[in-house]
Every structure is written in C-alpha cells, then in structure tokens.
Amino acid sequence: MTQTREAVPLAAEPGAVRRRLPHLAWFVAAVTFVTIIGAAAFRSLPGLLIDPLHEEFGWSRGTIGGAVSVNLALYGLTAPFAAALMDRFGIRRVVAAALTVIAVGSGLTVWMTAAWQLMLCWGLLVGLGSGSMALSFAATVTNRWFTERRGLVSGILTAASASGQLIFLPVLSRLVESHGWRPAAVTVALAALAVVPLVWLLLRDHPADTGQIPYGATEFVPKPAPVRGAARRAVTVLWSAARTGPFWLLAGTFAICGASTNGLVQTHFVPAAHDHGLPVTTAASLLAVIGVFDVVGTIASGWFTDRFDSRRLLAVYYALRGVSLLFLPMLLAPSVRPPMVFFIVFYGLDWVATVPPTLALCRERFGDDSAIVFGWVLASHQVGAALVAYLGGVARDVFGSYDMVWYASGALCSVAALMALVIRRRPAGAATVAVPA
C-alpha cells in the first residue's frame, strides 16, 4: 500500500522556508538546459553525413535517409516510455543512461563498413538514447518543478536543443569538411559523455527531495511513490487519451511539425543547398543561424502561451511555416542572398515555437498524465519526421532535386493550421483525462 502525505503549508515543512535566493526550480531548469545542449550534438550530425557516406560507401541517399528515419522514429516512440521510466526510476538515472547509450552508438559508427551497421548504431542505439532525452524530459521537469511560468520554462528548455545546434553545427561541419565524418561522430560521443557527471551530481528528481515546493505553489507537494509497470502505464495512458478527439488533432499537427522540421530541413537542407552550389560549411552555418532565431522564437512562444489561446498560436505558426517552405526552392542558390537570409530568420523564429502551446494543450486536457501523453504526441512528431527523412532522400534519388518535398511540406503545414483551430478547449471546471497508476 502506498503511503501518502497530506499537503501542508510551506511554513510547516522543515527546511523549506528559506526563500531569499532564486527558487531552486530555476537551478534545476538551468541544469536541464545545459544537459539538453550537451545532448544536442547528435541532432546536428545527420544532415552532414548524407554526402560523405554516399561518397565513401556508395550508399544511396534513400538508404542513409532510412537510417536517419529509424533514428527519428525511435526518438519519438521511446519518449512516452521514457517519461514513465522517469516516474519509476527518477529523472537522473534515466537521463544518465540515455546519454551513455548515445555516446556508445555514435562512437561505434567509426568502425562501420556496411549499411546495416549504420542502422544499428545511428538508427537503433542513438535513436533509443535520444528518445529518452526527448522533450518528455523537459515536460517532466517542468511539470514537477513549476506551477507558474510553465509556458516560459517549456519554451526555454525546448530552445536548448536549438542552442546546442548553434554550438555544434559549425564545429561539426568544419570537422567533416577538413577531417571527414569520423572525428565528428567521436565529438558527438564525447559531448554526450561529458554531460553525464553534470546530470548525476546536480540534477534532482523532485522538489520534495530538497524540502522545496514547486515554483509558484503555495503548499508542499510530497514526492509520489515510484510508479511500477512503466510500459503498461505508458500504453494505458495512450489507450485512454486515444479515445479523445483532441489527442488525434494534437498528434496530427505535431506529425506535420516533425515532417517540416527534423525530417525535412534538419536532414535535407544542407545537401539540398549543396545541390545548388552552396558550400557545405556555409549551408551548415545557415542551419545554425536558424538555431539562433529558434531560441528567440521558442522562448517568445512560451511567453505567448502563458497569455494567449494555444490553438490560435499553433494555427499562426503552422500557416507561416507553410508559406516560408513554399518559397524556399526559389531561394536556393550558389551564394547567400538577402531573400535567403530573410527565410532563415523567419523560419528560425517558427522552428519549434509549436512546442510550448502543444505542451500546454496536453497539460490542459490530460492533467497528471500530460508528460506521457505529450510523449505519445512527440512520437507522432518523430514518425512524421522519419517518413520525410526517408521520402526526401528517395525523392532526391528519383527526381534529382528536393523541390517536390518542399512544396508538399508547405501544403501539409496549411492542413495543420486548420487542424489546430478545431481542437476543443476543456470547459472551465471540467476534470482532466487521467489514468490511475
């Protein structure tokens, strides 16, 4: 039988009264931010590997895109189970193990000689590890440590991945250009390993571990007992959520989000720009600049999410993204011109601005199970990304260009904008959908 403890005012909880320094929740958020940055190296590499692997091994772009698609799909499909594992074993243990798996998978690619080894190392191992480091990690930290400013914090933590992209993309592209792809893969492995001690020593699972209350709360929140049966709980939560219309609308819009970002731009922008004569290092630098404006756009989106209707924010974000992608084929050229700079800024502001309002809608509709539900919504995001990562490579092999993929993704974004507008809001005072542990 699980023992529970009644919530009591902060003043009655020993060791929880001091409050002159910034709340510990902000320190935990900062550690989470740095951890996600350190793990972001693996997100920066796939687009840089396509041409070098094609040239060295003769593998088709469809084959290489297939390995990337396995990685992206597992990134999403692992996320809901990772959220449940965090409830069972704690955030710190799950994240440290995930970073180690990423390091092993990336390091082993140095010795690969066959396409199935790329599927195993980069597809399976890095996919599983990165899935456990997915946005459900940020969602779990936000839900446990904050009751106020959740939109802002989720925006900041989401932006961490873009910040990592900004840091690692120029470095990795220069390594690939000057020394080949193997030193870049080793750099990814070392970056993941370097963050493990930080996670183990500084990250805390729950405010109650330190006698704190969540930021913005008025009462002490006891740490819940470990939830057993992580896999069963993840599936049970999915079964309950899948019986609601908002879940499918959120999953559908987020699938299109993944298709138009990770699957398309992150994977294929560099080789597509190189097809038009733009040097790889210049194209990678443009992708890194997208990361700069993504930080600004995502944090701003979190701020907007605390103040405006999340459905309308999503509709605006998807509509603007679709328009920008429709114009991109006309902007690719051997040199960087002002219209391309405008696209980079415009698209960067919208890159993952969809995450804070999507997370807010999950939290509103699904309550305590929202982190696991968001994990399943993220799974749809990565399935969409995986399909386009593969189909984009196939389209390039068949048609000789990526133009059809840009146009199709732009059209899909307009569909996502309409889907966002028809998500029903939960009536005031209505109970959230929740599944007992």
Side-chain angles (χ1 to χ4, degrees):
M1 178 191 274
T2 302
Q3 292 182 344
T4 58
R5 171 182 175 184
E6 292 183 359
V8 295
L10 174 62
E13 186 63 29
V17 182
R18 47 183 202 192
R19 188 66 60 79
R20 298 264 172 141
L21 296 174
H23 194 287
L24 185 61
W26 294 109
F27 178 78
V28 172
V31 173
T32 304
F33 185 89
V34 174
T35 302
I36 296 174
I37 286 178
F42 67 84
R43 297 281 303 279
S44 306
L45 196 55
L48 304 176
L49 290 179
I50 292 177
D51 285 339
L53 294 179
H54 173 70
E55 291 170 4
E56 179 172 338
F57 297 106
W59 301 335
S60 71
R61 290 177 174 84
T63 297
I64 301 168
V68 176
S69 72
V70 171
N71 176 292
L72 292 172
L74 285 175
Y75 178 96
L77 294 172
T78 304
F81 297 98
L85 285 172
M86 288 177 190
D87 288 340
R88 173 67 178 89
F89 298 105
I91 299 172
R92 186 169 55 171
R93 292 179 180 177
V94 173
V95 172
L99 288 167
T100 303
V101 171
I102 290 170
V104 171
S106 182
L108 288 176
T109 58
V110 172
W111 292 284
M112 68 182 179
T113 57
W116 69 265
Q117 294 166 347
L118 177 65
M119 292 281 185
L120 174 64
C121 296
W122 197 260
L124 180 63
L125 292 179
V126 177
L128 289 173
S130 60
S132 300
M133 281 289 300
L135 291 173
S136 54
F137 170 38
T140 302
V141 170
T142 303
N143 289 349
R144 290 186 181 183
W145 283 90
F146 293 86
T147 58
E148 293 182 356
R149 302 290 189 269
R150 281 176 167 173
L152 176 62
V153 174
S154 62
I156 292 172
L157 295 182
T158 302
S161 183
S163 301
Q165 174 178 293
L166 168 64
I167 294 169
F168 287 108
L169 255 176
V171 174
L172 295 176
S173 65
R174 284 179 174 80
L175 281 174
V176 171
E177 189 91 344
S178 304
H179 305 288
W181 61 270
R182 287 179 177 84
V186 172
T187 300
V188 171
L190 293 177
L193 279 179
V195 184
V196 174
L198 179 70
V199 170
W200 193 255
L201 295 175
L202 301 179
L203 197 61
R204 293 295 177 266
D205 290 331
H206 196 277
D209 290 340
T210 58
Q212 293 276 331
I213 63 171
Y215 179 83
T218 58
E219 294 184 332
F220 184 82
V221 178
K223 183 177 181 178
V227 180
R228 299 183 182 276
R232 180 176 58 83
R233 185 179 178 219
V235 174
T236 303
V237 169
L238 171 63
W239 178 256
S240 177
R243 288 179 288 176
T244 68
F247 172 81
W248 291 107
L249 289 170
L250 288 168
T253 55
F254 224 40
I256 294 172
C257 178
S260 57
T261 53
N262 301 61
L264 181 60
V265 175
Q266 181 130 31
T267 304
H268 294 293
F269 177 80
V270 172
H274 189 54
D275 283 347
H276 287 77
L278 196 66
V280 170
T281 51
T282 304
S285 297
L286 288 176
L287 201 55
V289 173
I290 286 178
V292 176
F293 290 96
D294 178 26
V295 173
V296 177
T298 308
I299 294 175
S301 177
W303 188 85
F304 291 143
T305 300
D306 287 330
R307 290 161 175 79
F308 301 106
D309 186 340
S310 297
R311 301 169 304 161
R312 292 177 180 172
L313 288 176
L314 286 177
V316 171
Y317 296 157
Y318 285 121
L320 293 177
R321 182 185 300 175
V323 170
S324 67
L325 288 173
L326 291 175
F327 280 97
L328 180 58
M330 296 177 277
L331 306 180
L332 293 170
S335 61
V336 180
R337 299 172 181 173
M340 174 58 79
V341 175
F342 179 78
F343 168 82
I344 293 298
V345 174
F346 188 85
Y347 186 85
L349 290 171
D350 198 352
W351 176 271
V352 286
T354 55
V355 173
T358 301
L359 182 54
L361 287 170
C362 285
R363 190 181 300 118
E364 175 186 316
R365 298 291 313 195
F366 303 103
D368 291 339
D369 292 319
S370 61
I372 297 176
V373 173
F374 182 71
W376 285 113
V377 172
L378 178 62
S380 71
H381 180 282
Q382 295 306 114
V383 169
L387 285 172
V388 173
Y390 172 68
L391 293 176
V394 172
R396 172 62 178 79
D397 289 333
V398 173
F399 300 110
S401 78
Y402 288 99
D403 289 358
M404 291 296 295
V405 188
W406 302 123
Y407 294 137
S409 295
L412 281 175
C413 286
S414 65
V415 175
L418 295 175
M419 292 171 66
L421 288 174
V422 300
I423 297 174
R424 289 182 300 172
R425 302 207 62 175
R426 183 173 61 88
T432 57
V433 176
V435 177

